[in-house]
Amino acid sequence: ELGEDLFKAFLRDHTAECEAALNFSKSGEKEKAFEFMKRSAEGGYIKGQLFLGLWLRQGKNIEVNYEQAEFWYNKAADQGSGTAYHNIGYMYEYGHGKEINVKTAYEYYEKSKELESFFGYRNIATAYYFGELEGYEQDYEKAYNLFLKAIELGDNTSSHFYLSLMFAKGYHVEKDIIKAFEYLEAGKVAGSEKCKEKYQKMINCLE
């Protein structure tokens, strides 16, 4: 249950409404979670809008509704959220409520990057790493610098993993297994599942 102080806080603070919604979600109180997240989003709190959009896209605490998910992402995007632009791009890339359109997806990812979102940097970096998309010819130097920027901005998922691969294989950088291992370890500590899995495989090989 919510403590008295938090209960009083969310009556006047859309930030607290969002936090209350997350607490309700953790405790399995779906209706209350959605109600308070919607209040937060309607109050103009960007984080609330992003979470509400995510829940609607994933069907968490409410039925899936892609149209409403995009509506709330757009509300956050209108306030300058780079994460929101990434999330709309994701819907285009994977066909959530619309036909798959990778070109449009990456236009949104570029906007996300312009707004200094690590999601945007990471996605564009990955495009340059693989070089499989039109307009993104393989360029390890660009990928390397973009992955570094994504980490600087807070990415704790894929960027460490790809930098580890670049040092392990000598892509743009001098091959350095120790450096590759350090990036895996840093990614593991940051919470990257890819890094955790690869790190453990390397440890097993050394035992």
Side-chain angles (χ1 to χ4, degrees):
E1 295 183 1
L2 292 173
E4 184 177 352
D5 290 340
L6 183 55
F7 179 79
K8 290 178 180 178
F10 70 63
L11 292 178
R12 61 180 185 273
D13 187 347
H14 299 305
T15 303
E17 288 172 345
C18 178
E19 296 306 313
L22 294 174
N23 287 332
F24 280 130
S25 182
K26 286 180 182 178
S27 64
E29 298 177 81
K30 295 183 179 182
E31 290 185 7
K32 286 185 178 179
F34 185 78
E35 175 189 349
F36 280 98
M37 194 62 78
K38 193 167 186 288
R39 286 188 194 179
S40 177
E42 289 173 341
Y45 184 46
I46 290 177
K47 186 176 177 181
Q49 292 169 344
L50 291 172
F51 267 111
L52 188 60
L54 179 67
W55 287 1
L56 286 159
R57 181 176 67 77
Q58 294 182 335
K60 183 172 183 177
N61 298 316
I62 194 69
E63 292 182 0
V64 169
N65 188 321
Y66 292 134
E67 183 178 351
Q68 278 295 300
E70 187 172 5
F71 172 84
W72 288 108
Y73 286 154
N74 274 309
K75 285 289 188 181
D78 288 344
Q79 296 192 74
S81 169
T83 300
Y85 279 100
H86 163 270
N87 291 353
I88 296 169
Y90 186 94
M91 294 180 75
Y92 275 100
E93 184 173 9
Y94 294 98
H96 291 173
K98 54 184 82 269
E99 289 187 10
I100 290 175
N101 190 324
V102 175
K103 184 176 183 295
T104 299
Y106 273 80
E107 289 172 358
Y108 277 100
Y109 294 155
E110 287 285 1
K111 183 65 176 178
S112 174
K113 181 172 76 69
E114 289 172 15
L115 291 168
E116 294 291 287
S117 166
F118 73 76
F119 289 109
Y121 276 95
R122 185 189 67 203
N123 283 28
I124 301 303
T126 305
Y128 280 119
Y129 181 90
F130 288 106
E132 296 174 346
L133 300 175
E134 183 179 352
Y136 297 93
E137 293 183 3
Q138 194 168 60
D139 188 325
Y140 289 130
E141 182 178 2
K142 286 183 178 179
Y144 176 79
N145 290 324
L146 290 166
F147 281 133
L148 286 177
K149 184 65 175 179
I151 290 173
E152 179 186 325
L153 291 171
D155 183 30
N156 63 358
T157 52
S158 300
S159 294
H160 290 92
F161 177 77
Y162 283 110
L163 286 173
S164 174
L165 287 180
M166 294 183 79
F167 276 101
K169 297 175 185 257
Y171 292 161
H172 172 62
V173 294
E174 185 176 346
K175 189 173 182 179
D176 188 332
I177 298 302
I178 293 176
K179 196 75 173 175
F181 191 80
E182 288 175 349
Y183 269 110
L184 274 186
E185 185 173 25
K188 178 178 74 72
V189 171
S192 167
E193 292 301 322
K194 283 185 177 180
C195 288
K196 287 179 184 178
E197 182 180 346
K198 192 71 173 178
Y199 180 89
Q200 192 56 52
K201 286 182 179 179
M202 290 180 71
I203 291 293
N204 291 341
C205 288
L206 294 174
E207 291 179 345

